[in-house]
Amino acid sequence: MADLQRLHTYLLKSRFVRFLMVGVFTTSLDFMIFYLLHFPAGLEIIPANIISYGTGITAGFFVNRAWTFHDAMHRSHKRILLSLFYGYLGLALNTAIVWYLSFIMEVMLAKTAAVLIIVIYNYLTNKYLVFRVYK
C-alpha cells in the first residue's frame, strides 16, 4: 500500500504527468467543441478547429500555470505573451495538419493524429520557453 501511495505522489509531482493530465482535459474539451461545431452545426474544418483548439489553448494555459508549472510563476505578463505566441503557432500547425489529413482520412481521425503530433511540441514549448524557471 505504501508503494502505491509513493507512486501516486510521484506521478502527481511529475510535471510531465501533470502536463499530460491537463492535456487530456483540454484535448477532450477541444474534441467536444470541434465535433459539435463541425457536425451538428455544420462549420467547416478550419474555423471549427480554430475555435475548439483556441479554447483548449486558453484553458490549458490557466490550468498549467496554476498546477503544472506553478513554481515558475514570476514574469506572468511575459509568460502570457509567450504562451499565446507558441499556443497560436501550435494552433496553426494543428489546423494545417487536420486540414491536410482530412483529405486522406476521416476528420476525427485526422484531428487525433494532429494531437499526437502536436503534444510533444506543446510540452517542449511550455517547459522550456513559456514556464522556464530562471535562475
Side-chain angles (χ1 to χ4, degrees):
M1 186 68 158
D3 288 336
L4 189 58
Q5 188 169 7
R6 271 186 284 212
L7 177 61
H8 179 261
T9 302
Y10 168 77
L11 290 176
L12 288 179
K13 286 183 179 183
S14 167
R15 272 193 177 161
F16 186 68
V17 171
R18 285 184 285 174
F19 184 81
L20 288 177
M21 291 170 73
V22 172
V24 167
F25 164 70
T26 59
T27 300
S28 299
L29 183 65
D30 173 17
F31 272 69
M32 180 183 66
I33 293 169
F34 179 83
Y35 182 87
L36 292 172
L37 291 174
H38 183 63
F39 292 106
L43 203 59
E44 294 294 325
I45 291 171
I46 292 175
N49 197 68
I50 289 170
I51 293 167
S52 67
Y53 194 89
T55 302
I57 290 170
T58 303
F61 172 78
F62 288 107
V63 177
N64 277 320
R65 183 179 74 171
W67 188 48
T68 308
F69 301 104
H70 62 85
D71 57 338
M73 285 296 296
H74 59 291
R75 300 184 189 181
S76 63
H77 293 310
K78 180 179 178 181
R79 292 191 196 291
I80 290 170
L81 293 174
L82 284 172
S83 179
L84 289 172
F85 175 77
Y86 290 112
Y88 285 107
L89 181 58
L91 168 64
L93 293 169
N94 180 281
T95 301
I97 294 166
V98 172
W99 176 79
Y100 176 77
L101 291 179
S102 70
F103 288 106
I104 58 175
M105 62 182 65
E106 195 275 323
V107 69
M108 294 308 285
L109 186 58
K111 188 146 181 67
T112 302
V115 165
L116 295 174
I117 293 167
I118 296 297
V119 71
I120 295 167
Y121 161 84
N122 283 335
Y123 178 72
L124 294 175
T125 57
N126 274 281
K127 181 176 180 180
Y128 294 110
L129 301 172
V130 177
F131 294 105
R132 185 173 96 202
V133 177
Y134 296 91
K135 296 181 183 200

